[in-house]
Amino acid sequence: MSIRRADTLGGKAAIVGIGATEFSKDSGRSELKLAVEAVRAALDDAGLTPADVDGLVTFTMDTSPEITVAQAAGIGELSFFSRIHYGGGAACATVQQAALAVASGIADVVVCYRAFNERSGRRFGSGVQRREPTAEGAALGWNLPYGLLTPASWVAMAAQRYLHAYGRGPEDFGQVAVLDRRHAARNPAAYFHGKPITLADHAASRWIVEPLRLLDCCQETDGGQALVVTSVERARDLPRPPAVVVAAAQGAGRSQEQMTSFYRDGLTGLPETAVVARQLWRSSGLTPADIDVGILYDHFTPFVLMQLEEFGFCGPGEAGDFVAADALPLNTHGGQLGEAYLHGMNGIAESVRQIRGTSVNQVAGAARSLVTAGTGVPTSGLVLGADG
């Protein structure tokens, strides 16, 4: 992959197994236990065993190291293990790393996993309390004295500017929340199963940081999710239809910071997402018109709108109307607002289900799915497709 030319990774690897724990607010077990449960479930789904695995990929934020998960899950020798930084921005990059390892012959079967007690344990929404000193933390020091202490407060800066620049209102954000909850209401695995909301419910929810209300903010969840990646050739001999990695990309923009990139030329877009979008379209040869379903990272509703615009599905300031018109099936699992907050890994699993034809909110004939990872930070993305 290059920021300036198409890469050749597409079509060489596929996701062949997905597995998750239940999504809850109090798992009652360790994060390692959650990780192992998800890994084993994904391998069962793929028709593989722990003995088949020779690679593992996770997030730098995960508390369960690769060798510990391997030991606890009954996995033997490893030829590849890797971690991706920047929180939710890492989600799709774990699959990219796995695909690179498979395509280059470094590993044959790689499992990507993420597990945490994010509701009953450490809550990311609490912000930067008790953080160890780092160079990244020093950058936050320019904003913390002014009260920008939490992810919601950081995103609110960009959200407010977006509304002002395009003459829009918070109801645009509400369109995303309503859409996600509509899909979650039909998803038995979702925390908000059976609980749709209206735009009036969104407008009545309490302020978190203006212009963000409670229903603009994703959940906090306990759980684990795992994905199994192998070669397309091997995938064809396994029981489930493969979701082929058509393209994969990472991206960081100029003047990039973690959630506080306030010194860029503008705040109405997501330059890191633009980098990923250019790479995905260039390498896949696809355009927005070729995408059948979008699974967009929805930690906060405004950034879903900005992602749609950066990927070229609509023009600047037009995404609220685009979502309201149901112009593209989005977040059919309910997203992180409606199903669960698993740092985007559950979104990748939903993309696989769409390609397989097994989603509870199945899009008829879905053959190409766009998946994105966390935004406001260095991020990543995938285009998954049906084999052949």
Side-chain angles (χ1 to χ4, degrees), residues 97-130:
Q97 287 274 300
L100 287 166
V102 168
S104 63
I106 293 174
D108 292 323
V109 176
V110 182
V111 179
C112 309
Y113 66 91
R114 181 75 173 106
F116 50 48
N117 285 320
E118 201 272 328
R119 182 62 175 85
S120 65
R122 178 195 170 192
R123 299 174 65 174
F124 299 138
S126 64
V128 296
Q129 301 174 48
R130 299 181 298 278

Side-chain angles (χ1 to χ4, degrees), residues 152-362:
S153 70
W154 303 329
V155 173
M157 296 282 285
Q160 193 75 278
R161 184 62 186 173
Y162 180 92
L163 296 181
H164 172 78
Y166 298 121
R168 307 299 299 192
E171 62 273 12
D172 281 10
F173 304 157
Q175 298 289 354
V176 176
V178 170
L179 172 77
D180 276 12
R181 289 288 292 272
R182 183 173 78 232
H183 289 140
R186 297 193 290 263
N187 177 6
Y191 185 77
F192 286 113
H193 177 230
K195 297 179 179 179
I197 61 170
T198 65
L199 280 176
D201 294 326
H202 172 267
S205 64
R206 64 183 175 88
W207 292 114
I208 299 300
V209 183
E210 292 189 48
L212 300 182
R213 294 185 177 274
L214 177 65
L215 293 179
D216 290 309
C217 306
C218 73
Q219 303 178 67
E220 295 173 303
T221 302
D222 288 5
Q225 179 78 60
L227 316 161
V228 181
V229 178
T230 191
S231 68
V232 171
E233 291 75 16
R234 185 168 188 177
R236 291 170 180 151
D237 296 327
L238 297 176
R240 305 283 191 180
V244 176
V245 178
V246 176
Q250 286 182 279
R254 294 184 184 276
S255 302
Q256 182 79 59
E257 295 181 11
Q258 287 203 73
M259 304 295 290
T260 58
S261 302
F262 301 140
Y263 302 100
R264 290 168 164 169
D265 292 338
L267 294 180
T268 59
L270 297 165
E272 62 275 6
T273 297
V275 174
V276 170
R278 290 195 303 269
Q279 292 172 353
L280 291 181
W281 298 143
R282 182 186 295 124
S283 294
S284 68
L286 302 174
T287 70
D290 298 310
I291 299 300
D292 300 309
V293 58
I295 309 297
L296 303 188
Y297 197 97
D298 56 337
H299 47 345
F300 298 98
T301 57
F303 281 179
V304 174
L305 303 183
M306 294 182 194
Q307 287 177 78
L308 286 167
E309 294 166 12
E310 295 288 11
F311 272 95
F313 288 99
C314 55
E318 297 176 356
D321 294 333
F322 183 90
V323 174
D326 281 329
L328 175 72
L330 292 171
N331 292 355
T332 48
H333 56 321
Q336 299 185 121
L337 278 77
E339 185 188 55
Y341 176 68
L342 260 294
H343 258 160
M345 296 293 274
N346 53 319
I348 303 173
E350 173 63 10
S351 180
V352 173
R353 287 189 290 267
Q354 285 289 346
I355 299 303
R356 290 178 175 179
T358 61
S359 171
V360 295
N361 294 299
Q362 184 62 42

